[in-house]
Amino acid sequence: MKNIKFNPSGVCCKEMEIILNDDNTIEDVTFVGGCPGNTLGIKSLVKGEKALDIAERLEGITCGGKKTSCPDQLSFALRDAVK
C-alpha cells in the first residue's frame, strides 16, 4: 500500500491524501478543504477504481474561472503516485 500526500495548487483544497493498493486501485482519498459535498462525491466515485483510469477521466476539468479544479489536481496526484 502507498500513502501519498499531495498539495494541490490553484484550488480551494489545501491537501489530498491518497491511499493506493499494491495494484494501484484507490483505497481511499481524503481532501483537506474544498467543497465538502463535491469532495465527498469524488471520494465515493473513485474508491476501488484504478488510479490511471480515474486520472484520465478527471484530467482537464476546470472550476468556475479557474484553469484547474480539485478533480484535475487529483489526476496529477494519481499520476505521480503510480510512477
Side-chain angles (χ1 to χ4, degrees):
M1 245 187 227
K2 295 182 196 174
N3 189 343
I4 300 98
K5 290 193 180 198
F6 180 78
N7 295 316
S9 63
V11 295
C12 299
C13 176
K14 302 300 177 205
E15 183 179 81
M16 298 176 184
E17 185 173 349
I18 304 159
I19 301 172
L20 291 182
N21 292 315
D22 293 335
D23 65 353
N24 289 325
T25 57
I26 301 167
E27 177 70 25
D28 197 18
V29 176
T30 304
F31 298 85
V32 176
C35 303
N38 289 338
T39 56
L40 286 172
I42 292 167
K43 175 180 179 153
S44 177
L45 291 170
V46 303
K47 284 175 77 171
E49 299 292 325
K50 292 283 189 183
L52 290 179
D53 291 344
I54 293 297
E56 186 175 309
R57 287 187 227 154
L58 299 181
E59 183 177 9
I61 294 174
T62 59
C63 183
K66 299 175 184 175
K67 294 181 180 183
T68 189
S69 65
C70 291
D72 186 47
Q73 290 292 298
L74 179 58
S75 76
F76 294 125
L78 290 170
R79 287 186 196 282
D80 284 347
V82 171
K83 288 183 183 176

